[in-house]
Amino acid sequence: MRPAKDYIVFPLDVPSMAAAKKYVALLSDVVGMFKVGLELFVRSGPQIIKWIKSSGDTQVFLDLKLHDIPETVKRTMRSISDLGVTFATVHCGETKQMLEAAVAGSGGDVGVLGVTVLTSVSDTDLHTAGFREEFHSDASKLVMKRAAMAKDSGCMGVVCSGLEVQMIKDAFGKDFIGVTPGIRPAIDGVPDDQQRVTTPAQAILNGADYLVIGRPIREAKDPRSAVIQITAEIKQALKRI
Ligand code: C5P
């Protein structure tokens, strides 16, 4: 069984390399992976990835959520594959060709994850965006459709809500990776802009392989002890599966 801490992905959603380094130093022995997103990557470029990797035995998830024509996605994923990151993301919201291009560009050197429907999106948002009733009345239907596209395109897994990960595992097999953001420990109670949320324990019980947990850690009075509490919750949940 994997250690509980390895399930935790901490997003470095900070505006500077100095702030990112502070969190890496504080948390690298208690989380499994750091996620670098657009905000930090635009500031620091690949340097921050090199720095994180050289600072210890830590994995990096580059979350740029690519969304472009297939050729551009393929070429970008090829550049990403040189960086030594474990996972990189591409949106599932366009075409299957775009996902196939991401997988082709990765050359098998980085795990491509398809972003199904952002956990900040609600059924009402889907209605407003013009989706027909089948999809806006139940976001999980759209998530499943997009996860099927990701699976068929050769993606290693998907990013989805902890509410949907069980359906995805049932449909596409336990080796198809499920990464779940939108995690809110029960004691926090504040979903921020997230809509389709679960607790860490629920996400684990539903089969999540990785939990992206940002604000509940970053905004805690003591981020390190928040991680330790969450890890204890994950450990308990792992005993039940
Ligand atoms: O826990 P918190 O809400 O702060 O997590 C925010 C992080 O999760 C951001 O880095 C955001 O990019 C990521 N995220 C994601 N996929 C989603 C929703 C959020 O990767 N569907």
PDB file of all heavy atoms in Angstrom, residues 11 13 35 63 65 118-119 159 181 184 194 212-216, ligand 1:
ATOM      1  N   PRO A  11      -0.710  22.124  -4.494  1.00  0.00           N
ATOM      2  CA  PRO A  11      -0.522  23.066  -5.600  1.00  0.00           C
ATOM      3  C   PRO A  11       0.218  24.307  -5.127  1.00  0.00           C
ATOM      4  O   PRO A  11      -0.187  24.953  -4.160  1.00  0.00           O
ATOM      5  CB  PRO A  11      -1.964  23.411  -6.008  1.00  0.00           C
ATOM      6  CG  PRO A  11      -2.809  23.165  -4.800  1.00  0.00           C
ATOM      7  CD  PRO A  11      -2.096  22.156  -3.942  1.00  0.00           C
ATOM      8  N   ASP A  13       0.201  27.358  -5.685  1.00  0.00           N
ATOM      9  CA  ASP A  13      -0.554  28.489  -6.239  1.00  0.00           C
ATOM     10  C   ASP A  13      -0.093  29.772  -5.557  1.00  0.00           C
ATOM     11  O   ASP A  13      -0.789  30.335  -4.697  1.00  0.00           O
ATOM     12  CB  ASP A  13      -2.064  28.263  -6.042  1.00  0.00           C
ATOM     13  CG  ASP A  13      -2.571  27.084  -6.847  1.00  0.00           C
ATOM     14  OD1 ASP A  13      -1.997  26.791  -7.920  1.00  0.00           O
ATOM     15  OD2 ASP A  13      -3.539  26.438  -6.414  1.00  0.00           O
ATOM     16  N   LYS A  35       2.400  20.574  -7.250  1.00  0.00           N
ATOM     17  CA  LYS A  35       1.797  20.918  -8.547  1.00  0.00           C
ATOM     18  C   LYS A  35       2.198  22.348  -8.896  1.00  0.00           C
ATOM     19  O   LYS A  35       2.029  23.266  -8.090  1.00  0.00           O
ATOM     20  CB  LYS A  35       0.270  20.796  -8.457  1.00  0.00           C
ATOM     21  CG  LYS A  35      -0.436  21.049  -9.785  1.00  0.00           C
ATOM     22  CD  LYS A  35      -1.900  20.603  -9.726  1.00  0.00           C
ATOM     23  CE  LYS A  35      -2.836  21.663  -9.205  1.00  0.00           C
ATOM     24  NZ  LYS A  35      -3.068  22.802 -10.101  1.00  0.00           N
ATOM     25  N   ASP A  63       0.716  21.510 -14.264  1.00  0.00           N
ATOM     26  CA  ASP A  63      -0.717  21.630 -14.562  1.00  0.00           C
ATOM     27  C   ASP A  63      -0.976  22.870 -15.406  1.00  0.00           C
ATOM     28  O   ASP A  63      -1.424  23.894 -14.907  1.00  0.00           O
ATOM     29  CB  ASP A  63      -1.465  21.700 -13.221  1.00  0.00           C
ATOM     30  CG  ASP A  63      -2.965  21.705 -13.395  1.00  0.00           C
ATOM     31  OD1 ASP A  63      -3.457  21.221 -14.442  1.00  0.00           O
ATOM     32  OD2 ASP A  63      -3.659  22.180 -12.471  1.00  0.00           O
ATOM     33  N   LYS A  65      -2.938  22.683 -18.163  1.00  0.00           N
ATOM     34  CA  LYS A  65      -4.269  22.466 -18.764  1.00  0.00           C
ATOM     35  C   LYS A  65      -4.284  22.932 -20.222  1.00  0.00           C
ATOM     36  O   LYS A  65      -5.008  23.862 -20.609  1.00  0.00           O
ATOM     37  CB  LYS A  65      -5.352  23.184 -17.956  1.00  0.00           C
ATOM     38  CG  LYS A  65      -5.473  22.672 -16.523  1.00  0.00           C
ATOM     39  CD  LYS A  65      -6.685  23.242 -15.819  1.00  0.00           C
ATOM     40  CE  LYS A  65      -6.909  22.651 -14.440  1.00  0.00           C
ATOM     41  NZ  LYS A  65      -5.986  23.123 -13.394  1.00  0.00           N
ATOM     42  N   LEU A 118     -13.972  21.014 -14.714  1.00  0.00           N
ATOM     43  CA  LEU A 118     -13.364  21.621 -13.518  1.00  0.00           C
ATOM     44  C   LEU A 118     -14.295  21.485 -12.313  1.00  0.00           C
ATOM     45  O   LEU A 118     -15.526  21.622 -12.454  1.00  0.00           O
ATOM     46  CB  LEU A 118     -13.061  23.101 -13.773  1.00  0.00           C
ATOM     47  CG  LEU A 118     -11.999  23.389 -14.836  1.00  0.00           C
ATOM     48  CD1 LEU A 118     -11.955  24.881 -15.174  1.00  0.00           C
ATOM     49  CD2 LEU A 118     -10.627  22.907 -14.379  1.00  0.00           C
ATOM     50  N   THR A 119     -13.703  21.241 -11.142  1.00  0.00           N
ATOM     51  CA  THR A 119     -14.546  21.071  -9.948  1.00  0.00           C
ATOM     52  C   THR A 119     -15.179  22.389  -9.497  1.00  0.00           C
ATOM     53  O   THR A 119     -16.020  22.400  -8.608  1.00  0.00           O
ATOM     54  CB  THR A 119     -13.730  20.473  -8.781  1.00  0.00           C
ATOM     55  OG1 THR A 119     -12.512  21.208  -8.650  1.00  0.00           O
ATOM     56  CG2 THR A 119     -13.432  19.017  -9.027  1.00  0.00           C
ATOM     57  N   VAL A 159      -8.453  14.196 -14.359  1.00  0.00           N
ATOM     58  CA  VAL A 159      -8.713  15.038 -13.200  1.00  0.00           C
ATOM     59  C   VAL A 159     -10.230  15.179 -13.129  1.00  0.00           C
ATOM     60  O   VAL A 159     -10.872  15.538 -14.125  1.00  0.00           O
ATOM     61  CB  VAL A 159      -8.049  16.423 -13.361  1.00  0.00           C
ATOM     62  CG1 VAL A 159      -8.303  17.274 -12.116  1.00  0.00           C
ATOM     63  CG2 VAL A 159      -6.551  16.279 -13.617  1.00  0.00           C
ATOM     64  N   PRO A 181      -9.187  17.227  -7.330  1.00  0.00           N
ATOM     65  CA  PRO A 181      -9.156  18.507  -6.605  1.00  0.00           C
ATOM     66  C   PRO A 181     -10.538  18.707  -5.946  1.00  0.00           C
ATOM     67  O   PRO A 181     -11.340  17.783  -5.926  1.00  0.00           O
ATOM     68  CB  PRO A 181      -8.913  19.539  -7.698  1.00  0.00           C
ATOM     69  CG  PRO A 181      -8.966  18.810  -8.996  1.00  0.00           C
ATOM     70  CD  PRO A 181      -9.455  17.423  -8.750  1.00  0.00           C
ATOM     71  N   ARG A 184     -12.207  19.339   0.490  1.00  0.00           N
ATOM     72  CA  ARG A 184     -12.416  20.218   1.634  1.00  0.00           C
ATOM     73  C   ARG A 184     -12.620  19.379   2.887  1.00  0.00           C
ATOM     74  O   ARG A 184     -13.629  18.694   3.033  1.00  0.00           O
ATOM     75  CB  ARG A 184     -13.656  21.123   1.413  1.00  0.00           C
ATOM     76  CG  ARG A 184     -13.443  22.200   0.347  1.00  0.00           C
ATOM     77  CD  ARG A 184     -12.361  23.188   0.754  1.00  0.00           C
ATOM     78  NE  ARG A 184     -12.058  24.198  -0.254  1.00  0.00           N
ATOM     79  CZ  ARG A 184     -11.122  24.090  -1.206  1.00  0.00           C
ATOM     80  NH1 ARG A 184     -10.383  23.002  -1.315  1.00  0.00           N
ATOM     81  NH2 ARG A 184     -10.904  25.085  -2.049  1.00  0.00           N
ATOM     82  N   GLN A 194     -14.925  26.313  -5.219  1.00  0.00           N
ATOM     83  CA  GLN A 194     -15.151  24.927  -5.615  1.00  0.00           C
ATOM     84  C   GLN A 194     -16.616  24.564  -5.432  1.00  0.00           C
ATOM     85  O   GLN A 194     -17.275  25.053  -4.520  1.00  0.00           O
ATOM     86  CB  GLN A 194     -14.262  23.987  -4.772  1.00  0.00           C
ATOM     87  CG  GLN A 194     -12.774  24.249  -4.928  1.00  0.00           C
ATOM     88  CD  GLN A 194     -12.211  23.704  -6.242  1.00  0.00           C
ATOM     89  OE1 GLN A 194     -12.958  23.470  -7.198  1.00  0.00           O
ATOM     90  NE2 GLN A 194     -10.913  23.524  -6.302  1.00  0.00           N
ATOM     91  N   VAL A 212      -5.620  16.744  -4.837  1.00  0.00           N
ATOM     92  CA  VAL A 212      -5.012  18.081  -4.912  1.00  0.00           C
ATOM     93  C   VAL A 212      -5.640  18.917  -3.804  1.00  0.00           C
ATOM     94  O   VAL A 212      -6.854  19.134  -3.804  1.00  0.00           O
ATOM     95  CB  VAL A 212      -5.281  18.733  -6.290  1.00  0.00           C
ATOM     96  CG1 VAL A 212      -4.726  20.155  -6.320  1.00  0.00           C
ATOM     97  CG2 VAL A 212      -4.672  17.901  -7.415  1.00  0.00           C
ATOM     98  N   ILE A 213      -4.812  19.351  -2.860  1.00  0.00           N
ATOM     99  CA  ILE A 213      -5.363  20.099  -1.714  1.00  0.00           C
ATOM    100  C   ILE A 213      -4.549  21.380  -1.545  1.00  0.00           C
ATOM    101  O   ILE A 213      -3.379  21.337  -1.146  1.00  0.00           O
ATOM    102  CB  ILE A 213      -5.312  19.259  -0.417  1.00  0.00           C
ATOM    103  CG1 ILE A 213      -5.826  17.837  -0.673  1.00  0.00           C
ATOM    104  CG2 ILE A 213      -6.137  19.950   0.680  1.00  0.00           C
ATOM    105  CD1 ILE A 213      -5.730  16.909   0.527  1.00  0.00           C
ATOM    106  N   GLY A 214      -5.186  22.499  -1.879  1.00  0.00           N
ATOM    107  CA  GLY A 214      -4.489  23.782  -1.846  1.00  0.00           C
ATOM    108  C   GLY A 214      -4.868  24.632  -0.661  1.00  0.00           C
ATOM    109  O   GLY A 214      -4.227  24.592   0.397  1.00  0.00           O
ATOM    110  N   ARG A 215      -5.955  25.396  -0.810  1.00  0.00           N
ATOM    111  CA  ARG A 215      -6.295  26.376   0.217  1.00  0.00           C
ATOM    112  C   ARG A 215      -6.482  25.814   1.622  1.00  0.00           C
ATOM    113  O   ARG A 215      -6.063  26.468   2.590  1.00  0.00           O
ATOM    114  CB  ARG A 215      -7.499  27.218  -0.234  1.00  0.00           C
ATOM    115  CG  ARG A 215      -7.068  28.271  -1.252  1.00  0.00           C
ATOM    116  CD  ARG A 215      -8.217  28.861  -2.025  1.00  0.00           C
ATOM    117  NE  ARG A 215      -8.729  27.922  -3.009  1.00  0.00           N
ATOM    118  CZ  ARG A 215      -9.683  28.205  -3.880  1.00  0.00           C
ATOM    119  NH1 ARG A 215     -10.240  29.409  -3.870  1.00  0.00           N
ATOM    120  NH2 ARG A 215     -10.079  27.315  -4.756  1.00  0.00           N
ATOM    121  N   PRO A 216      -7.058  24.605   1.775  1.00  0.00           N
ATOM    122  CA  PRO A 216      -7.181  24.098   3.149  1.00  0.00           C
ATOM    123  C   PRO A 216      -5.823  23.947   3.842  1.00  0.00           C
ATOM    124  O   PRO A 216      -5.737  23.989   5.066  1.00  0.00           O
ATOM    125  CB  PRO A 216      -7.858  22.728   2.965  1.00  0.00           C
ATOM    126  CG  PRO A 216      -8.623  22.871   1.680  1.00  0.00           C
ATOM    127  CD  PRO A 216      -7.754  23.743   0.802  1.00  0.00           C
TER     128      PRO A 216
HETATM  129  O1  C5P B   1      -7.814  23.190  -2.807  1.00  0.00           O
HETATM  130  P1  C5P B   1      -7.902  24.370  -3.756  1.00  0.00           P
HETATM  131  O2  C5P B   1      -9.316  24.668  -4.187  1.00  0.00           O
HETATM  132  O3  C5P B   1      -7.152  25.576  -3.297  1.00  0.00           O
HETATM  133  O4  C5P B   1      -7.151  23.838  -5.055  1.00  0.00           O
HETATM  134  C1  C5P B   1      -6.948  24.689  -6.131  1.00  0.00           C
HETATM  135  C2  C5P B   1      -6.027  24.002  -7.080  1.00  0.00           C
HETATM  136  O5  C5P B   1      -6.670  22.889  -7.695  1.00  0.00           O
HETATM  137  C3  C5P B   1      -5.566  24.920  -8.199  1.00  0.00           C
HETATM  138  O6  C5P B   1      -4.180  24.674  -8.407  1.00  0.00           O
HETATM  139  C4  C5P B   1      -6.354  24.469  -9.390  1.00  0.00           C
HETATM  140  O7  C5P B   1      -5.688  24.648 -10.598  1.00  0.00           O
HETATM  141  C5  C5P B   1      -6.538  22.990  -9.084  1.00  0.00           C
HETATM  142  N1  C5P B   1      -7.705  22.436  -9.722  1.00  0.00           N
HETATM  143  C6  C5P B   1      -7.539  21.502 -10.691  1.00  0.00           C
HETATM  144  N2  C5P B   1      -8.629  20.985 -11.319  1.00  0.00           N
HETATM  145  C7  C5P B   1      -9.845  21.330 -10.967  1.00  0.00           C
HETATM  146  C8  C5P B   1     -10.025  22.277  -9.950  1.00  0.00           C
HETATM  147  C9  C5P B   1      -8.911  22.819  -9.332  1.00  0.00           C
HETATM  148  O8  C5P B   1      -6.416  21.126 -11.017  1.00  0.00           O
HETATM  149  N3  C5P B   1     -10.860  20.720 -11.510  1.00  0.00           N
END
